[in-house]
Amino acid sequence: MRVDEGCWVVGLSGLLLACGSTHPLTIDGGAPPPPIPDTGVPPIDAGAPYCGDGVISDGEECDDGNTSNTDGCLTSCMAAFCGDGWVQIGVEGCDDGNDDDTDSCTNLCRYCSCGDGVVNCAGEECDDGNLNDTDGCKNNCSVNVCGDGVRYIGVEECDDGNASNTDSCTNVCESARCGDGFVQTGVELCDDGNLDNLDACRNNCSVPECGDGVVGPGLECDDGNSDNTDACLNTCVAAYCGDGFVWAGVEACDDGNSDDRDACRNTCEPARCGDGVVWAGVEACDDGNMDDTDGCTSRCSPDECGDGVIGPGSECDDGNADDTDDCLSTCLLARCGDGFVHAGVEECDDGNTFDGDGCTTACTLPRCGDGVTSAGEECDDGNTSNRDACTTACLLNVCGDGLVNRADTDPATPGCQGCEQCDDGNTDATDGCLPRFAAHPGTGVSLACRRATCGDGFVHAGVEECDDGNRVDTDGCSNTCRAAP
């Protein structure tokens, strides 16, 4: 029971009555209070003013004449206030009549609630009285901790509310990053949490592989590109001669095989004549020198006639098949009698040693005066003398041709047989030179081209009177060729 200071009386039944009321006061729960013991004090005069008579009298703050303590005026005729222990309907949510702000009813006469700024409700860990869910106290009045799904600004980088370390937020509320020791699913292939770039996990959280630009275990190199013409192949093997790829600036070729006789040497240099290795299908020989006389020419072909190189057994070799120049196609020097006309040197060359067949042994065309009697010539003594047996016209020097054949005065032909003493080129037997048909009338001996003489049988006009061709002085013509008187 609660009895506030103010007007109260004891009824005839001995129950405590409010002033002006015939209803006894009740205690909480509706049970009437126990009878007030007789103290010997006379009862209050019912006609005097009292609390509850509906009239505000001296000493009263209010008097609404009812027995409700849940309106604005208590039954003690005091104005209702927070902390009076009575819940003012429509104004207060509760009123426990104490100053404890941490129980279920606050000092503002409101039931405890998360967000009222006071840690007073059961289950509250905190209450900062605001609606900010990202500070130290969440809107559900629980302390903001890692793993609650709410990011604590300034403390946590993230908070996804789970215990997985393989998503974008670790279970220590830090954003997943390469190097944190946890493999982020779908993002990282590995994460060993160290800075060693040569172990099984790269510093960028990728699995080591050829082409990632890092030389890992078992790799000779790794330049991170797919270029097979630099110093590192895309298989992460250092470029070398024979790998099948031309190393730019270092190799001229690279066919990737060990055949030293193809177009690319095992030294990754192009095959060439003179390198000492026979290039199959291209070179017949290659002795590695420039000596053209050792059996293999500087063109890497065997020394043979026609290759343009004078080798053993060759007099010459101009490398062509022209037999009219200085060197025959048989690699012999052109010479008269080889059967080929040497242009600009020979007029002919029939390849034999006969002079009467249209080409002389001097390889000139037959001509009068060449000393060779050729077709159309009666003779050819090769000189310019008309005083011998052959004229300069290559005709036999005969009596009557007007040319004296080896006159008896020619010291070069002593005892010349058939030599002429004269030859006036006519048939007149009476001039100083007998013609070719002249014969001694007595002996028949030819007197052709003989000087006219007394006794030759022909009268030399103007010189002889007669000439009977004998030595008989008594026959009418003297031995001096005078007519007998």
Side-chain angles (χ1 to χ4, degrees), residues 320-344:
N320 62 47
D322 186 1
D323 280 322
T324 66
D325 56 12
D326 294 335
C327 186
L328 302 182
S329 59
T330 57
C331 294
L332 298 175
L333 290 172
R335 57 177 55 86
C336 181
D338 57 19
F340 302 101
V341 178
H342 190 178

Short mmCIF file of all heavy atoms in Angstrom, two decimals, residues 320-344:
data_model
loop_
_atom_site.label_atom_id
_atom_site.label_comp_id
_atom_site.label_asym_id
_atom_site.label_seq_id
_atom_site.Cartn_x
_atom_site.Cartn_y
_atom_site.Cartn_z
N ASN A 320 84.57 -20.91 -121.06
CA ASN A 320 83.53 -20.90 -122.08
C ASN A 320 83.79 -21.99 -123.11
O ASN A 320 84.82 -22.66 -123.09
CB ASN A 320 83.41 -19.52 -122.74
CG ASN A 320 84.68 -19.12 -123.48
OD1 ASN A 320 85.26 -19.90 -124.24
ND2 ASN A 320 85.14 -17.88 -123.26
N ALA A 321 82.82 -22.16 -123.98
CA ALA A 321 82.93 -23.21 -124.99
C ALA A 321 83.33 -22.65 -126.34
O ALA A 321 83.20 -23.32 -127.37
CB ALA A 321 81.61 -23.96 -125.10
N ASP A 322 83.83 -21.43 -126.37
CA ASP A 322 84.21 -20.79 -127.62
C ASP A 322 85.58 -21.29 -128.05
O ASP A 322 86.59 -21.09 -127.35
CB ASP A 322 84.23 -19.27 -127.42
CG ASP A 322 84.47 -18.53 -128.71
OD1 ASP A 322 84.59 -19.18 -129.76
OD2 ASP A 322 84.53 -17.27 -128.66
N ASP A 323 85.62 -21.93 -129.21
CA ASP A 323 86.89 -22.45 -129.71
C ASP A 323 87.57 -21.49 -130.67
O ASP A 323 88.56 -21.86 -131.31
CB ASP A 323 86.66 -23.79 -130.43
CG ASP A 323 86.54 -24.95 -129.45
OD1 ASP A 323 87.26 -24.94 -128.44
OD2 ASP A 323 85.70 -25.84 -129.69
N THR A 324 87.05 -20.26 -130.75
CA THR A 324 87.67 -19.30 -131.67
C THR A 324 88.46 -18.24 -130.91
O THR A 324 88.98 -17.30 -131.52
CB THR A 324 86.60 -18.60 -132.53
OG1 THR A 324 85.77 -17.79 -131.70
CG2 THR A 324 85.76 -19.63 -133.28
N ASP A 325 88.52 -18.36 -129.56
CA ASP A 325 89.30 -17.39 -128.80
C ASP A 325 90.67 -17.97 -128.46
O ASP A 325 91.09 -18.98 -129.06
CB ASP A 325 88.55 -16.95 -127.55
CG ASP A 325 88.15 -18.11 -126.66
OD1 ASP A 325 88.64 -19.24 -126.88
OD2 ASP A 325 87.34 -17.89 -125.74
N ASP A 326 91.36 -17.38 -127.52
CA ASP A 326 92.73 -17.79 -127.22
C ASP A 326 92.83 -19.17 -126.59
O ASP A 326 93.90 -19.78 -126.58
CB ASP A 326 93.40 -16.78 -126.28
CG ASP A 326 93.60 -15.43 -126.94
OD1 ASP A 326 93.67 -15.40 -128.18
OD2 ASP A 326 93.68 -14.41 -126.21
N CYS A 327 91.69 -19.60 -125.96
CA CYS A 327 91.70 -20.87 -125.24
C CYS A 327 90.60 -21.76 -125.78
O CYS A 327 89.41 -21.38 -125.79
CB CYS A 327 91.50 -20.62 -123.74
SG CYS A 327 91.69 -22.10 -122.73
N LEU A 328 90.98 -22.95 -126.19
CA LEU A 328 89.99 -23.88 -126.72
C LEU A 328 89.14 -24.44 -125.59
O LEU A 328 89.50 -24.38 -124.41
CB LEU A 328 90.69 -25.03 -127.46
CG LEU A 328 91.60 -24.64 -128.63
CD1 LEU A 328 92.18 -25.90 -129.27
CD2 LEU A 328 90.87 -23.80 -129.65
N SER A 329 88.00 -25.03 -125.95
CA SER A 329 87.13 -25.64 -124.95
C SER A 329 87.76 -26.89 -124.35
O SER A 329 87.25 -27.46 -123.40
CB SER A 329 85.77 -25.98 -125.57
OG SER A 329 85.93 -26.88 -126.65
N THR A 330 88.89 -27.30 -124.92
CA THR A 330 89.63 -28.43 -124.37
C THR A 330 90.71 -27.96 -123.41
O THR A 330 91.55 -28.75 -122.96
CB THR A 330 90.29 -29.23 -125.51
OG1 THR A 330 91.12 -28.35 -126.28
CG2 THR A 330 89.23 -29.87 -126.40
N CYS A 331 90.68 -26.64 -123.12
CA CYS A 331 91.63 -26.01 -122.20
C CYS A 331 93.08 -26.10 -122.71
O CYS A 331 94.04 -26.19 -121.92
CB CYS A 331 91.51 -26.59 -120.79
SG CYS A 331 89.92 -26.21 -120.03
N LEU A 332 93.22 -26.10 -124.04
CA LEU A 332 94.53 -25.97 -124.67
C LEU A 332 94.61 -24.61 -125.33
O LEU A 332 93.59 -24.07 -125.80
CB LEU A 332 94.74 -27.07 -125.72
CG LEU A 332 94.73 -28.51 -125.19
CD1 LEU A 332 94.83 -29.50 -126.36
CD2 LEU A 332 95.88 -28.73 -124.21
N LEU A 333 95.80 -24.05 -125.37
CA LEU A 333 95.97 -22.76 -126.02
C LEU A 333 95.71 -22.92 -127.51
O LEU A 333 96.09 -23.93 -128.13
CB LEU A 333 97.38 -22.24 -125.79
CG LEU A 333 97.70 -21.80 -124.36
CD1 LEU A 333 99.18 -21.50 -124.22
CD2 LEU A 333 96.87 -20.58 -123.97
N ALA A 334 95.05 -21.95 -128.10
CA ALA A 334 94.78 -21.99 -129.53
C ALA A 334 96.12 -21.98 -130.28
O ALA A 334 97.04 -21.24 -129.93
CB ALA A 334 93.92 -20.80 -129.93
N ARG A 335 96.20 -22.81 -131.30
CA ARG A 335 97.42 -22.87 -132.12
C ARG A 335 97.02 -23.29 -133.52
O ARG A 335 95.98 -23.94 -133.73
CB ARG A 335 98.44 -23.85 -131.54
CG ARG A 335 97.89 -25.25 -131.38
CD ARG A 335 98.95 -26.22 -130.86
NE ARG A 335 99.57 -25.80 -129.64
CZ ARG A 335 99.09 -26.05 -128.41
NH1 ARG A 335 97.92 -26.70 -128.31
NH2 ARG A 335 99.73 -25.68 -127.34
N CYS A 336 97.86 -22.90 -134.47
CA CYS A 336 97.59 -23.27 -135.85
C CYS A 336 97.69 -24.78 -135.99
O CYS A 336 98.69 -25.40 -135.58
CB CYS A 336 98.61 -22.59 -136.78
SG CYS A 336 98.36 -22.96 -138.53
N GLY A 337 96.65 -25.36 -136.56
CA GLY A 337 96.63 -26.79 -136.75
C GLY A 337 95.72 -27.50 -135.76
O GLY A 337 95.56 -28.72 -135.83
N ASP A 338 95.06 -26.70 -134.86
CA ASP A 338 94.17 -27.33 -133.87
C ASP A 338 92.79 -27.59 -134.44
O ASP A 338 91.94 -28.19 -133.80
CB ASP A 338 94.10 -26.50 -132.59
CG ASP A 338 93.62 -25.07 -132.83
OD1 ASP A 338 93.01 -24.78 -133.89
OD2 ASP A 338 93.87 -24.21 -131.94
N GLY A 339 92.58 -27.13 -135.67
CA GLY A 339 91.30 -27.37 -136.32
C GLY A 339 90.25 -26.31 -136.04
O GLY A 339 89.12 -26.43 -136.52
N PHE A 340 90.59 -25.25 -135.25
CA PHE A 340 89.66 -24.17 -134.97
C PHE A 340 90.28 -22.85 -135.41
O PHE A 340 91.46 -22.57 -135.11
CB PHE A 340 89.33 -24.11 -133.48
CG PHE A 340 88.75 -25.38 -132.95
CD1 PHE A 340 89.54 -26.28 -132.25
CD2 PHE A 340 87.41 -25.69 -133.18
CE1 PHE A 340 89.01 -27.46 -131.77
CE2 PHE A 340 86.88 -26.87 -132.70
CZ PHE A 340 87.68 -27.76 -131.99
N VAL A 341 89.51 -22.05 -136.12
CA VAL A 341 90.01 -20.77 -136.61
C VAL A 341 90.08 -19.79 -135.45
O VAL A 341 89.06 -19.43 -134.85
CB VAL A 341 89.12 -20.22 -137.73
CG1 VAL A 341 89.64 -18.86 -138.20
CG2 VAL A 341 89.08 -21.20 -138.90
N HIS A 342 91.28 -19.37 -135.11
CA HIS A 342 91.52 -18.41 -134.03
C HIS A 342 91.15 -17.02 -134.53
O HIS A 342 91.85 -16.44 -135.36
CB HIS A 342 92.98 -18.47 -133.60
CG HIS A 342 93.28 -17.72 -132.36
ND1 HIS A 342 94.55 -17.69 -131.80
CD2 HIS A 342 92.50 -16.95 -131.54
CE1 HIS A 342 94.52 -16.94 -130.71
NE2 HIS A 342 93.29 -16.48 -130.56
N ALA A 343 90.03 -16.50 -134.04
CA ALA A 343 89.50 -15.23 -134.53
C ALA A 343 90.53 -14.12 -134.37
O ALA A 343 91.11 -13.94 -133.29
CB ALA A 343 88.21 -14.87 -133.80
N GLY A 344 90.73 -13.39 -135.51
CA GLY A 344 91.66 -12.27 -135.47
C GLY A 344 93.11 -12.68 -135.61
O GLY A 344 93.99 -11.83 -135.69
#
